[in-house]
Each structure stands twice: as C-alpha cells, then as structure tokens.
C-alpha cells in the first residue's frame, strides 16, 4: 500500500511539475508600452531576434526545414479572418490586419499533417510550425512554435495598447515529407 501511495504521489508531482513549466510569462514592447505575454498550452517561445526567425529573408529564414533567402512566393491557403481561421500550407500565410480596441488579446492554434492526395491526416510531435504576431508584415512582436500534434496552444497578451493593427503569420518550419503533405490547422483569436 505504501508503495502504491508513493507511486501515485510521485506521478502526481511529475504531472504538476510538467503542467507548471508549460506556461511562461514574457514582456514585450508595443508602441512604447509594456505588454505582458503568457504562453498557453503546448507551445515554445521563439526568439524573434534570432536571424532564422526575424522575417528578414536577406539573412536567411528557416522554412520547410531549409534556410531560404527569399520569401516563399506561393501561399497555398489564405487566412480570411483573424477571428477564426484555418490554414493548409506548405510554406507560410498571413492574416489580414485586425484593429485592436481591447487591452487583452489571445491567439491559439493547432495543426496536424495532411496528405492532400490521399486525404489522410496524422500527427507528429517532431514537426514544427511558427506563429508570429506582427504589427506589420515585416516586424514580429512575438512568436511561438507549435507542433503538428493537433493540440491547441497559443499566447495571451495583456495591456495591449488600443488602436494597434495586429496580424498573424503561420509558417511551416520543419521539412515536409513529400510534395503531397501540407500543414493543416486552425486558429482563433479573442479580444477582451
């Protein structure tokens, strides 16, 4: 009985530790004001100062598992709305801008892999995509990395200056296994 209690206690402590380290809080600056950013769910923070993630293709960007020096020309699926959106991409796609009139904004995404030829879908915790929140199509404010594991994750911004135009970019990071495979996902945003 003591061994079972010890085992249950150990598992509970590991789970509590895993849950507690999955969320993190960061501060960024938007229009000269400090904004608090909290990660939600299964995402990793991306350093927007890293040359592979700064959206400046002249110094190289990581797209589809390769470093490229020119922006991908094709966008296989357009994100039509920033409130609720879907994407089926093999490179990257941007949303339209949304005028922010609230101080809190949440962005969440989840994705899986889709074989367009067979229509089969599958998940992979080894396949990554990057979501960037941008003030214009060139300047990321904050980025996070999600997995193609079909588990929802994202970020919550608080103290966002109102009157800010914000957009989202989703970019495939890991090389796709073949030309029939796409990153297939959905996302949502909430203003409060």
């Amino acid at each position: 009985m003591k061994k079972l209690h010890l085992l249950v206690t150990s598992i509970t402590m590991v789970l509590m530790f895993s849950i507690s380290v999955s969320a993190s809080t960061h501060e960024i600056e938007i229009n000269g004001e400090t904004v608090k950013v909290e990660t939600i769910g299964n995402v990793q923070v991306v350093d927007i100062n890293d040359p592979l993630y700064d959206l400046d293709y002249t110094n190289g960007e990581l797209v589809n598992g390769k470093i490229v020096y020119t922006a991908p020309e094709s966008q296989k699926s357009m994100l039509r709305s920033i409130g609720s959106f879907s994407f089926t991409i093999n490179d990257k796609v941007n949303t339209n801008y949304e005028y922010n009139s609230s101080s809190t904004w949440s962005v969440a995404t989840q994705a899986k892999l889709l074989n367009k030829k067979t229509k089969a879908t599958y998940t992979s915790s080894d396949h990554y995509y990057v979501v960037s929140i941008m003030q214009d199509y060139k300047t990321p404010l904050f980025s996070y990395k999600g997995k193609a594991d079909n588990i929802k994750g994202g970020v919550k911004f608080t103290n966002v200056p109102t009157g800010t135009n914000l957009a989202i970019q989703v970019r495939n990071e890991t090389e796709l296994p073949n030309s029939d495979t796409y990153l297939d996902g959905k996302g949502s945003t909430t203003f409060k």
Side-chain angles (χ1 to χ4, degrees), residues 53-114:
Y53 298 102
D54 64 1
L55 302 181
D56 178 3
Y57 284 89
T58 61
N59 67 13
E61 290 296 296
L62 187 60
V63 179
N64 291 331
K66 297 179 176 104
I67 298 175
V68 297
Y69 294 91
T70 57
E73 292 182 25
S74 62
Q75 293 185 349
K76 301 299 179 190
S77 173
M78 290 303 298
L79 303 176
R80 291 172 184 81
S81 166
I82 199 168
S84 176
F85 55 90
S86 62
F87 51 91
T88 302
I89 60 171
N90 64 2
D91 47 33
K92 72 176 182 98
V93 67
N94 296 323
T95 64
N96 294 325
Y97 280 106
E98 182 73 22
Y99 181 79
N100 174 39
S101 59
S102 304
S103 64
T104 302
W105 188 39
S106 297
V107 178
T109 56
Q110 66 187 79
K112 59 191 174 302
L113 297 173
L114 164 71

Side-chain angles (χ1 to χ4, degrees), residues 155-172:
V155 292
K156 177 182 178 183
F157 296 86
T158 54
N159 302 324
V160 178
T162 58
T164 305
N165 287 319
L166 301 170
I168 300 169
Q169 180 185 91
V170 179
R171 183 176 77 202
N172 183 54

Side-chain angles (χ1 to χ4, degrees), residues 3-20:
K3 288 182 182 180
L4 178 63
H5 178 69
L6 179 63
L7 177 65
V8 169
T9 303
S10 298
I11 291 172
T12 304
M13 289 176 64
V14 167
L15 288 174
M16 287 176 61
F17 179 73
S18 298
I19 291 169
S20 67

